[in-house]
């Protein structure tokens, strides 16, 4: 089946583009990813303008999330998306994630599949996008509770499991990167590109309070392209509860402690609640005092890591099959 698939990846953090790439690897299709991130297939300008301090009418009467008036970047990015659709005539368009892009693409007569992000999304823009979509893909396990705002769309909701870009890589069997203090327990602090409220000074203080542990902080000034060797050989991983971080840790199969960060619509707190409900990890809702970490780490090590329940293996492929199936039914 010769199909053409367009993908849009939001530019906040790196997770949306990484997820698109992971799914695209399993598509038997011509795939183009459009994003404002620099390594997308087609680069889009940002929908902001540094010279504007107060954006006018940016919600269009609370019907959308971000459509500010008189911003050149917004006009240009929509024109580029429209141009690509006109030339390539995609069979289906996968959006990860933007209410405005999803609705714009659908207005051009192209079926849209979008990610159903976690969090409280009862607002009109999200509900309209879900109603218009051909299918909704949730990057969570099939036995996770369906949130109330998605229950009306259960007939087109597909929970495929956590999607990790590292699933097909050989890095899972690589040697341990830890060379210092081998007699200490190893804790990895994983900070995604979406940002956290954590500081290096805080983790230095935690390390002083936990002398039997060695802490490796990944992120910020100590970013690595492939964190999997650190995750697979750690005793415990400490992470925010972003979807990609959870999927990577689940793939590594390591005991974990999650501290949800403040995000729009409470998405990380929603993911943390699912992790706690399934009993897969330790959840700490607020950043602990430094001298309490020894006990938290000890308890986390005692929790069996049943990460197979997050259904990471095959998740990207399952998402790809849904995209191909819907593309085959629409033209």
């Amino acid at each position: 089946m010769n199909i053409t698939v367009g993908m849009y990846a939001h530019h906040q953090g790196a997770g949306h583009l990484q997820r698109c790439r992971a799914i695209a690897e399993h598509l038997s299709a011509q795939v183009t990813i459009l994003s404002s991130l620099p390594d997308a297939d087609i680069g889009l300008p940002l929908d902001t303008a540094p010279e504007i301090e107060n954006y006018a009418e940016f919600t269009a009467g609370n019907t959308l999330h971000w459509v500010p008036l008189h911003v050149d970047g917004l006009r240009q990015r929509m024109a580029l998306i429209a141009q690509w659709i006109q030339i390539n005539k995609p069979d289906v368009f996968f959006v990860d994630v933007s209410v405005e892009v999803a609705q714009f693409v659908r207005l051009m007569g192209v079926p849209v599949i979008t990610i159903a992000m976690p969090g409280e999304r009862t607002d009109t823009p999200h509900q309209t996008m879900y109603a218009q979509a051909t299918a909704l893909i949730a990057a969570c396990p099939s036995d996770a509770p369906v949130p109330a705002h998605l229950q009306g769309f259960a007939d087109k909701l597909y929970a495929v499991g956590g999607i990790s870009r590292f699933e097909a890589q050989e890095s899972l069997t690589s040697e341990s990167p830890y060379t210092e203090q081998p007699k200490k327990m190893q804790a990895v602090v994983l900070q995604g590109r979406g940002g956290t409220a954590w500081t290096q000074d805080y983790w230095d203080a935690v390390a002083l309070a936990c002398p039997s542990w060695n802490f490796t902080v990944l992120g910020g000034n100590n970013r690595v392209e492939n964190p999997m060797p650190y995750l697979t050989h750690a005793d415990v991983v400490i992470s925010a509860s972003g979807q990609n971080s959870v999927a990577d840790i689940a793939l590594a199969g390591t005991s974990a402690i999650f501290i949800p960060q403040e995000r729009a619509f409470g998405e990380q707190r929603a993911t943390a609640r699912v992790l706690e409900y399934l009993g897969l990890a330790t959840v700490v809702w607020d950043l602990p005092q430094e001298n309490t970490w020894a006990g938290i780490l000890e308890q986390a090590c005692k929790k069996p890591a049943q990460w197979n329940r997050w259904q990471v293996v095959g998740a990207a492929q399952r998402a790809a099959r849904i995209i191909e199936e819907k593309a085959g039914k629409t033209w």
Side-chain angles (χ1 to χ4, degrees):
M1 177 173 59
N2 295 320
I3 61 174
T4 299
V5 176
M7 289 184 162
Y8 171 83
H10 197 280
H11 54 271
Q12 178 64 35
H16 300 287
L17 180 59
Q18 291 170 355
R19 184 157 52 197
C20 286
R21 292 277 188 218
I23 295 171
E25 288 181 4
H26 296 280
L27 284 168
S28 301
Q30 178 181 337
V31 182
T32 301
I33 301 177
L34 300 89
S35 177
S36 296
L37 289 169
D39 47 353
D41 299 328
I42 293 182
L44 301 175
L46 291 171
D47 49 6
T48 55
E51 70 276 9
I52 298 177
E53 294 185 2
N54 298 307
Y55 291 94
E57 299 289 340
F58 62 86
T59 69
N62 294 320
T63 62
L64 295 166
H65 289 150
W66 186 253
V67 284
L69 296 175
H70 311 304
V71 174
D72 287 339
L74 178 61
R75 283 191 289 266
Q76 292 166 6
R77 71 186 348 244
M78 292 305 188
L80 285 169
I81 293 170
Q83 181 183 47
W84 184 87
I85 290 173
Q86 173 62 21
I87 293 172
N88 294 277
K89 297 177 173 55
D91 297 283
V92 71
F93 207 106
F94 175 73
V95 179
D96 186 356
V97 61
S98 164
V99 163
E100 291 73 34
V101 171
Q103 294 195 31
F104 182 73
V105 171
R106 183 63 188 86
L107 281 168
M108 292 197 70
V110 179
V112 170
I113 297 173
T114 190
I115 284 284
M117 293 288 287
E120 300 298 327
R121 300 179 190 265
T122 59
D123 57 286
T124 297
H126 272 113
Q127 290 294 297
T128 302
M129 177 182 69
Y130 294 153
Q132 292 175 346
T134 297
L136 308 175
I137 292 176
C140 66
S142 56
D143 56 350
V146 177
H149 66 273
L150 290 174
Q151 289 178 3
F153 310 103
D155 60 331
K156 57 182 177 181
L157 177 64
Y158 300 86
V160 299
I163 299 173
S164 171
R165 63 182 171 129
F166 298 109
E167 182 190 349
Q169 298 190 14
E170 296 179 357
S171 57
L172 295 178
T173 57
S174 61
E175 294 183 359
S176 172
Y178 307 115
T179 57
E180 298 180 359
Q181 301 169 309
K183 294 182 180 180
K184 288 190 174 186
M185 299 285 281
Q186 298 290 344
V188 170
V189 179
L190 184 63
Q191 301 180 121
R193 292 186 183 179
T196 69
W198 309 337
T199 66
Q200 184 63 50
D201 288 345
Y202 173 82
W203 293 113
D204 289 343
V206 172
L208 287 175
C210 303
S212 61
W213 285 82
N214 182 54
F215 286 80
T216 301
V217 179
L218 301 181
N221 295 327
N222 189 30
R223 187 169 304 283
V224 296
E225 180 59 30
N226 181 5
M228 292 308 293
Y230 293 89
L231 303 184
T232 54
H233 293 283
D235 295 290
V236 171
V237 179
I238 303 164
S239 174
S241 49
Q243 286 191 302
N244 285 48
S245 294
V246 174
D248 293 345
I249 294 166
L251 186 64
T254 308
S255 297
I257 301 166
F258 291 98
I259 311 172
Q261 302 295 290
E262 291 301 321
R263 292 290 186 271
F265 307 100
E267 65 180 58
Q268 288 207 7
R269 296 184 76 84
T271 298
R273 284 193 293 270
V274 175
L275 292 165
E276 194 171 60
Y277 171 82
L278 296 175
L280 297 182
T282 299
V283 176
V284 180
W285 297 99
D286 297 296
L287 196 64
Q289 292 294 317
E290 292 90 333
N291 59 5
T292 64
W293 268 103
I296 296 170
L297 290 163
E298 182 181 355
Q299 289 300 314
C301 287
K302 293 178 181 178
K303 185 182 289 291
Q306 302 178 29
W307 278 118
N308 60 304
R309 295 190 64 189
W310 204 248
Q311 300 174 354
V312 175
V313 176
Q317 186 174 21
R318 288 189 287 274
R321 296 294 81 79
I322 293 163
I323 293 171
E324 290 179 345
E325 176 188 347
K326 300 305 178 182
K329 290 182 177 179
T330 53
W331 292 90

